[in-house]
Amino acid sequence: MMKRPSFAIYGILGAFVLGSAFPFYWSFLVASRDNSVLTGDFTLIPGGNFWTNAVRVFDTVPFWKALGNSFLVSGTVTFSVVLLSTLAGFAFAKLKFRGRGVLFLFVVATLAVPTQLGIIPLYMAMAEFGWAGELEAVIVPNLVTAFGVFWMRQYLLDAIPDELVEAARMDGCSLWRAFWHVALPAARPAAAMLGVFTFMQSWNDFLWPLVVLNADNPTLQVALEKLQSGYYVDYSLVLAGTTLATVPVLIVFLVLGRQIVAGVMQGAVKG
Amino acid sequence: MTATLSKVDRGREQASLPRPPRRYRMSNLDAKVSPYLFVAPFFVLFIAIGLFPLLYTAYVSLFDWEIGDDDPLFIGFENYSTLFQDDQFWNALFNTFSIFLLSSAPQIVVAIVIAALLNANLRARTGWRMGVLLPYVASLVALTIIFGNLFGPQYGLVNDVLGLIGISPIDWQASTFGSHVAIASMVNWRWTGYNALIILAAMQAIPKDVYEAALVDGASALRRFFSITLPLLKPTLIFVVVTSTIGGLQIFTEPKLFEPSGGSGGGAEHQYQTVVLYLYQSAFQGFDLGYASAIAWVLFMVVIAVAGLNFFLTRRAVK
């Protein structure tokens, strides 16, 4: 039996975790105060003005619309990335076809390509399609990722025995049905993780939504930027906005934190 | 088509067998065509929305192309020659590297230490791991705004705390080095725990008997860490360094939102304007798409070159 570590280790880790959590608390702290208390004598006890400030957020930016837009965009993107990655990942992991090696090499090679740098032609295309300001503009350019295909392929390689696909084919199962009834159920754990990560990434996306969306139809991140970009920054207002925007993320983290930790650690071993 | 395919196949493999049933021929076609149909949506979409725009950026960079321009003028490499004499571009490149170095180096050292601590036989293991990962899930925009407040020049908490130990307030926004430290601390705060978990996963993959052998030989804990753990972490450290390079050189959100009034200059003297922020400013506030494309393409080359160099150096350093 390994011995339990000393208190010093718990102390250092505890300090690190407190430091990790502190900015969230600080955001709530400033948001709960009155704007007149901006002097240097800080206190760690919240004031009673949070709801007043939150209501001012709702009056300043279309917060609920932004929240709904963020859910719609991230949900659609996640659905598409998970489905198309599992489909392609299954083919790369378990099916034999001419050109498989070369095509997969292409996927691996593009993993690191900074596609974000292509925003100028994307912007021209969106203007051409009349999508500027519309949610299509932030959904369509994110429908697939090379990482997703790579991740699903690595997982399915071991998760499905080759004999299972063969057996399904012998029974006269089409490949589509084999995908639907064999691969998809087997892929569930990895697909769930890919889903969580894709959702978070899409939720946090900022540069591109800032380019194509406007203040009337924003995602949550763009709405926060609009709150902050006034000539004079009213911090109790702005940080009420960031606190409100953080709440859904914290709920997700409390519910799925265990899986997110496992996902990060597995990604490291497989990647 | 179906007939030809199955005939060829039969000719090769099943010459002596009777004609197979129709269902089998269908499934033969299925086996040939379906894999391509499965990978096609990814490739079609990825090329259309990922690769093509990136390559088309190189094309746009050869034009004097304003937003809404119907008939852009071809000017060859003029955007590039202007860019290479543009002080603001070199400044942005310097800022990007400065922020990147201030964030990546300390981050990896601290991440290794945290990973080593997490690797101890802790009570409530998962709880600690979730604790260090907390910043990773937070919204980057929200965090940057919060950090902007913490590093506020007048009433910011960081200056208050420094005041307690007798350091006079620093104007984090106004100075080059100060703003870089503030922005790097946002990056560090967000990514250290995440990288610690990746390194932890690699540490746990090291077989126990290697340590036991060293223990028998009387190697100290420190010695075991430097002679066993660190070298075996090499592939993971390369992965961490390369991914943080690719992300770090494209840093945008932090410098964009560190400027409170919504500007894109990266401060009055561009003291914390990064390359992607300059790209954004040129394209969407200066409306000069051709020039911004040249910036994007040069940065693309820089990212590839630095990631490659990093890969090479990390491989040699941790041997």
Side-chain angles (χ1 to χ4, degrees), chain A residues 1-5 9-10 12-14 16-17 19-24 26-27 30 38-42 80 84 87-92 95-99 103-104 106-107 110 112-124 140-146 149 169-176 179 197 200 203-208 210-211 220-222 224-225 228-231 233 235 238-239 242 245-246 249-250 253-254 256-258 260-261 264-269 271, chain B residues 23 27-28 30-32 34-39 41-43 45-54 56-57 60 65 67 110 113-114 117-124 126 128-143 145-150 155-157 160-161 164 173 189-190 192-194 197-202 204-205 208 236 239 242 246 250-253 256-263 276 279-280 283-284 289-290 292-293 296 299-300 303-304:
Chain A
M1 187 67 202
M2 230 166 105
K3 74 175 191 317
R4 289 283 177 189
I9 289 183
Y10 286 108
I12 299 169
L13 282 177
F16 189 82
V17 172
S20 298
F22 180 75
F24 297 105
W26 178 256
S27 167
V30 176
L38 269 178
T39 52
D41 49 3
F42 64 91
S80 162
L84 297 181
L87 196 57
F90 170 60
F92 279 124
L95 305 179
K96 292 184 182 65
F97 54 99
R98 193 185 289 263
L103 289 175
F104 188 65
F106 175 86
V107 174
T110 49
V113 171
T115 47
Q116 170 177 264
L117 295 177
I119 56 170
I120 289 159
L122 268 186
Y123 174 81
M124 294 165 150
V140 173
N142 290 304
L143 288 176
V144 292
T145 62
V149 175
R169 303 242 315 114
M170 286 301 163
D171 290 348
C173 216
S174 72
L175 282 181
W176 175 253
F179 168 72
F197 286 102
M200 287 199 307
W203 185 267
N204 278 327
D205 203 10
F206 178 60
L207 171 56
W208 176 241
L210 182 68
V211 168
L220 202 51
Q221 315 305 331
V222 174
L224 286 180
E225 194 269 345
Q228 186 247 14
S229 64
Y231 179 70
V233 182
Y235 270 115
V238 177
L239 294 193
T242 59
T246 304
V249 175
L250 283 185
F253 189 62
L254 287 178
L256 295 175
R258 192 177 281 271
I260 297 174
V261 166
V264 170
M265 294 183 63
Q266 271 183 28
V269 176
Chain B
R23 201 180 69 179
S27 95
N28 214 343
D30 179 42
K32 284 220 156 70
S34 288
Y36 296 105
L37 294 180
F38 287 6
V39 297
F42 166 75
F43 281 100
L45 281 168
F46 187 77
I47 289 169
I49 63 191
L51 279 193
F52 178 71
L54 193 60
Y56 197 72
T57 303
V60 176
W65 199 322
I67 278 190
V110 175
V113 172
I114 296 293
L117 297 181
L118 286 172
N119 201 20
N121 188 23
L122 297 171
R123 280 173 210 281
T126 310
W128 288 111
R129 291 177 187 175
M130 276 175 66
V132 302
L133 198 61
L134 185 60
Y136 168 72
V137 301
S139 139
L140 185 54
V141 170
L143 282 172
I145 295 173
I146 296 168
F147 269 75
N149 174 268
L150 288 170
Y155 306 116
L157 181 67
D160 285 348
V161 171
L164 292 179
Q173 248 114 18
W189 185 83
R190 185 171 169 82
T192 305
Y194 174 85
L197 284 192
I198 288 185
I199 296 168
L200 171 64
Q204 293 187 333
K208 293 279 172 286
T236 307
F239 171 77
V242 172
I246 294 168
Q250 297 179 69
I251 188 169
F252 170 78
T253 305
K256 169 80 175 93
L257 293 171
F258 195 53
E259 187 162 4
S261 55
V276 176
L279 187 169
Y280 176 84
F284 303 110
L289 297 180
S293 294
L299 180 61
F300 174 61
V303 169
I304 300 288

Side-chain angles (χ1 to χ4, degrees), chain A residues 171-218:
Chain A
D171 290 348
C173 216
S174 72
L175 282 181
W176 175 253
R177 286 185 44 146
F179 168 72
W180 204 253
H181 294 291
V182 177
L184 219 47
R188 215 176 285 154
M193 274 177 197
L194 179 62
V196 171
F197 286 102
T198 308
F199 193 92
M200 287 199 307
Q201 198 170 20
S202 171
W203 185 267
N204 278 327
D205 203 10
F206 178 60
L207 171 56
W208 176 241
L210 182 68
V211 168
V212 282
L213 297 182
N214 54 50
D216 300 327
N217 191 27

